[in-house]
Amino acid sequence: MEIRQTALDGVMILEARSFPDLRGWFRMTYGRDALSAAGIDFPVVQDNLSLSKRRFTTRGLHFQRPPVAQPKIVHVLAGAVLDIALDIRPGSASFGRHVAVRLDAETGRQLLIPGGFAHGFCTLEDNTLVQYRCAAPYAPEHEGGILWHDPDLGIAWPVGPDAAVVSDRDCNLPRLCDLDLPDR
């Protein structure tokens, strides 16, 4: 597995090697030893799946507050997404900045998002299946979110608010500037 740092400290792209043959291919999608060798401690404690039936389904931007911030590895099993990691760590030099990475089933590219980041994605194909491997359990009392199309974030989503398929909950999240974050 190749592990590359993105422009935001701690957000990593994981590239798994595929082994094709006449049957198809084989790919290791998680390797604790490979991550440990790169200095990453990522114990999987929860595994989630989401299916988005329609292209331009947009989910996020979601996060969990400390002490149960939820690091995750995002992996697309079918279809493709534009995946977003937004730094919301109080005091971080990159607070409010994001990275956008295309993840798709064909390449198997994954994104490791540490705690202290909001996460969201927009599907680029119908019937997109996304897996989230989490290093902390879901804790609803600590969850929060940021309006996905907050203009202050400068995210170049592939769809505008009028054409996106978005939950009512995500449409009503606050903008980053209105979020109550400690030590900001």
Side-chain angles (χ1 to χ4, degrees):
M1 180 176 289
E2 181 183 338
I3 301 171
R4 292 180 295 146
Q5 176 66 49
T6 67
L8 296 180
D9 186 38
V11 179
M12 312 264 188
I13 295 173
L14 311 178
E15 299 270 1
R17 203 169 109 203
S18 291
F19 299 92
D21 66 19
L22 62 102
R23 301 166 294 176
W25 52 261
F26 172 85
R27 182 183 299 145
M28 179 183 69
T29 61
Y30 174 80
R32 187 176 66 194
D33 292 345
L35 292 172
S36 290
I40 301 166
D41 180 30
F42 197 94
V44 176
V45 300
Q46 185 172 311
D47 211 6
N48 304 322
L49 290 174
S50 72
L51 173 67
S52 299
K53 293 181 179 181
R54 292 183 34 210
R55 179 180 183 217
F56 297 141
T57 296
T58 305
R59 297 176 185 258
L61 299 158
H62 304 141
F63 61 90
Q64 282 190 183
R65 290 178 171 84
V68 287
Q70 193 177 49
K72 59 186 62 117
I73 296 174
V74 182
H75 180 204
V76 174
L77 302 174
V81 302
L82 180 67
D83 205 70
I84 306 295
L86 172 71
D87 188 348
I88 59 168
R89 298 173 294 179
S92 168
S94 56
F95 180 86
R97 290 184 31 217
H98 71 279
V99 293
V101 178
R102 179 188 166 94
L103 305 177
D104 58 64
E106 185 176 333
T107 66
R109 178 180 298 125
Q110 301 175 63
L111 194 63
L112 186 152
I113 304 169
F117 283 77
H119 171 251
F121 64 82
C122 179
T123 61
L124 304 174
E125 298 178 13
D126 290 344
N127 297 309
T128 293
L129 184 61
V130 178
Q131 176 185 47
Y132 314 73
R133 286 191 177 103
C134 302
Y138 173 61
E141 66 278 8
H142 294 279
E143 72 179 332
I146 300 163
L147 184 65
W148 68 276
H149 60 89
D150 178 344
D152 295 338
L153 303 178
I155 299 172
W157 293 99
V159 64
D162 293 339
V165 180
V166 184
S167 71
D168 288 341
R169 174 185 170 235
D170 286 357
C171 285
N172 293 301
L173 291 172
R175 293 175 55 183
L176 180 60
C177 65
D178 297 326
L179 198 61
D180 182 25
L181 292 173
D183 302 317
R184 227 179 99 208

